[in-house]
Amino acid sequence: MGGWLSEVVRDITRDPQCQEEPLGTAFVLPLAQGIITLLLGVTAMALLNPRDSFTLSLVGIVAAGTMFQSFETINFWFQSQVQSQYTAVAKNSVSLLVAGIRIGLIQVQASVIAFAWVTLAEVALAGLAIGSVSLLQ
């Protein structure tokens, strides 16, 4: 974690009463970036190579995953509270599950699109897992 993200954790740690603004900003910026990435990526692919539906699908699936990075905001809050072990367990559990799925996809010689969907699912599940941890705390 670097740059402005470490600033968010530092600000929340220093002044817990004013955590809404940095957390809100840390959620909205990656979400907006993800939406823009998805729209620009799909639009660029559609304009550059309109007949290549495979690549267009691949770009769309992978770019959609960038929207889920906004859920890392919850992880920032846990880091500021020195409780990031909860989110680490959630994220590692998802990674372990997805690793097993990828091994299965290799065994059945699945398509690249299947791997792209699993990558999207991994990011989405990690976001949901982090969100679930925050609800349980």
Side-chain angles (χ1 to χ4, degrees), residues 42-78:
V42 170
T43 301
M45 284 308 304
L47 292 174
L48 293 172
N49 202 354
R51 294 189 179 145
D52 188 358
S53 61
F54 174 77
T55 304
L56 182 62
S57 298
L58 198 57
V59 167
I61 293 166
V62 173
T66 61
M67 292 185 296
F68 291 99
Q69 292 174 348
S70 59
F71 285 98
E72 279 295 312
T73 303
I74 299 167
N75 192 22
F76 302 150
W77 183 85
F78 276 100

